[in-house]
Amino acid sequence: FNTVDPAPDYATAARTTLGRRWRVEQRTETSGAITLSAEKGYSRETGNLLFHVAMLTALILIAVGRLFSYQGTVIVQQGQGFCNSPAAYDSWRPGRMAADGRIGPAPFCIDSLDRFTAKYTADGEPSQFAADVTYSAVRSDGTDGPIEHHRITVNHPLRLSGDRVYLINHGFAPQVTVRMPDGSVQHDQATFLPTDPTTYYSEGAFQEQGKTGAKQDVGIEGFFAPTPVTNANGVITSAAPQASNPVLGVFVYQGTVNPFGAPQSVYSLNKSQLKRIGQANLHVGQTTRMPNGVTVTFDGWVPWASLQVSHDPTQGYLLFAAIAMVAGLIGSLSVRRRRLWLRITPGSDGPGDSPTVVSVGGLARSDSGNFTTEFAGILSRLQGASTPVEPALVSAGKE
């Protein structure tokens, strides 16, 4: 396009029009023509660099975190508690520093799982799990801290001394009263593990010790159906995870429950030296009688919760690294690289003088799909910054 502005004046106007977003270099040729080279979108590379630096930092933090982290999982029945010690956990996964003893678990105790509540929708889908706990921690000076209360819900852990206590799972712990062959009475409650995560149909075992060597131990394998139904084969299953008139199925054995005295699972029986003496399906309050005077009464149940204690000193730094990665990625994907060239050729002076001629070219360095429309807008703004040639000059043959 043409303009009556002198080349230096229009070059200044063009740079003002492009604004600060464009990095502009200006040169003057020996012929008097002025060239402008403009580019924008340099922050795209900044975003790309930020993303990769943050990702490398995150990988280093993950590696360091693995060395100094530990994670323990424990099942706690309502009314019971535990202290933060490797020996207290059902599952303990320490990092190298924790395994070597150079990083010790934070000194605190969950004194009691006071109450566990679970809420479900009408179709049996879980809507809320919550564990109310009483806890205490040791202060930095070695004295005992105050006893406090907290509610743990899914994705909202209890934070203590750099550790996080998560609520992972839950289930049922049936309570029984067992009359032993020697006439003694034992009260027990055992954790039953869900075999169906939808209906919380669960299985577990009780191990009641009698006199040593008398072969009068009583072992009980059982299932717990929170909402019992009988299927077409006559087998009791559960229809929902809520406890509604639950059934405890028991298979009762007598003999020696731990013949070798070695550690064994509390969730199953070693039946190598046990003999089945009966079975029954019991509702709360019901009793079944077996040979040798053995009776089993289903007294009720309490809920249990699976709590996970996690320690990772790099977690906060990882959050910042993740935010930097997202910011860098957004910048890298959203910023567009554009290049623009202007050649401003001055017109001749004197009689029959010609206007200044402005030639504009552009290049999309990335995301060129809509560059035609964008370039047209830039060109329109550059034309608006010039003083147009009067139509009278054009009709007289002057451009």
Side-chain angles (χ1 to χ4, degrees):
F1 62 90
N2 300 331
T3 177
V4 297
D5 296 326
D9 292 347
Y10 180 74
T12 301
R15 296 186 66 159
T16 302
T17 300
L18 292 175
R20 295 182 178 180
R21 295 180 60 190
W22 292 83
R23 182 180 297 181
V24 183
E25 291 187 5
Q26 180 175 329
R27 294 184 179 88
T28 302
E29 299 179 353
T30 55
S31 63
I34 298 176
T35 61
L36 298 179
S37 299
E39 186 171 0
K40 71 173 183 176
Y42 283 95
S43 56
R44 180 186 182 93
E45 299 306 322
T46 303
N48 192 29
L49 180 62
L50 176 62
F51 171 78
H52 285 90
V53 170
M55 183 171 65
L56 178 61
T57 302
L59 293 175
I60 294 174
L61 288 172
I62 290 173
V64 173
R66 287 294 182 182
L67 290 174
F68 291 90
S69 66
Y70 57 79
Q71 180 177 291
T73 304
V74 60
I75 290 177
V76 184
Q77 297 176 7
Q78 184 170 287
Q80 299 180 357
F82 70 98
C83 288
N84 189 24
S85 168
Y89 293 109
D90 301 321
S91 172
W92 172 251
R93 292 189 294 174
R96 182 177 294 274
M97 296 300 181
D100 292 346
R102 283 177 278 183
I103 300 296
F108 68 84
C109 291
I110 303 296
D111 299 313
S112 174
L113 172 61
D114 299 322
R115 185 168 180 253
F116 177 85
T117 54
K119 296 181 180 179
Y120 300 88
T121 61
D123 57 358
E125 293 294 325
S127 61
Q128 183 185 28
F129 297 144
D132 296 311
V133 299
T134 298
Y135 69 91
S136 58
V138 178
R139 297 190 181 98
S140 57
D141 59 3
T143 60
D144 292 335
I147 295 177
E148 300 186 52
H149 304 277
H150 187 81
R151 166 165 284 202
I152 306 173
T153 58
V154 177
N155 297 326
H156 292 84
L158 168 64
R159 300 181 182 273
L160 281 171
S161 306
D163 288 13
R164 302 172 307 282
V165 184
Y166 292 95
L167 176 61
I168 302 300
N169 200 355
H170 75 99
F172 302 95
Q175 299 170 317
V176 296
T177 298
V178 180
R179 181 175 293 277
M180 304 293 287
D182 60 4
S184 62
V185 176
Q186 298 191 17
H187 303 278
D188 198 4
Q189 64 185 38
T191 299
F192 276 39
L193 300 180
T195 58
D196 186 338
T198 303
T199 65
Y200 276 78
Y201 178 90
S202 308
E203 296 181 354
F206 298 89
Q207 301 180 18
E208 312 304 331
Q209 301 283 345
K211 293 181 179 180
T212 304
K215 296 184 179 181
Q216 292 186 348
D217 299 342
V218 174
I220 302 173
E221 278 187 334
F223 66 83
F224 183 86
T227 304
V229 293
T230 304
N231 62 20
N233 298 322
V235 177
I236 293 179
T237 61
S238 182
Q242 301 96 322
S244 176
N245 193 27
V247 164
L248 175 66
V250 294
F251 301 89
V252 185
Y253 298 83
Q254 184 177 336
T256 303
V257 296
N258 189 1
F260 307 109
Q264 60 184 20
S265 173
V266 297
Y267 306 113
S268 61
L269 290 178
N270 179 353
K271 293 179 285 188
S272 61
Q273 295 190 26
L274 290 174
K275 179 181 178 181
R276 184 186 292 188
I277 58 175
Q279 65 185 59
N281 296 326
L282 305 175
H283 289 278
V284 176
Q286 292 183 338
T287 299
T288 180
R289 301 182 183 279
M290 307 291 171
N292 302 329
V294 175
T295 65
V296 178
T297 302
F298 180 23
D299 297 322
W301 56 272
V302 295
W304 58 259
S306 178
L307 300 179
Q308 176 180 290
V309 177
S310 297
H311 176 80
D312 186 350
T314 64
Q315 188 183 54
Y317 302 104
L318 272 172
L319 175 61
F320 287 109
I323 293 173
M325 288 172 62
V326 173
L329 186 61
I330 291 174
S332 179
L333 296 177
S334 61
V335 176
R336 298 166 178 171
R337 293 286 300 276
R338 300 289 188 256
R339 299 193 70 178
L340 198 67
W341 295 273
L342 287 82
R343 182 180 177 82
I344 307 169
T345 305
S348 60
D349 297 327
D353 59 341
S354 60
T356 300
V357 179
V358 181
S359 302
V360 184
L363 173 66
R365 296 290 301 275
S366 63
D367 188 24
S368 60
N370 65 343
F371 184 62
T372 301
T373 304
E374 185 179 350
F375 180 74
I378 296 172
L379 182 60
S380 177
R381 294 198 303 273
L382 290 172
Q383 286 178 311
S386 67
T387 303
V389 177
E390 294 293 337
L393 295 177
V394 177
S395 62
K398 296 182 180 181
E399 297 182 355

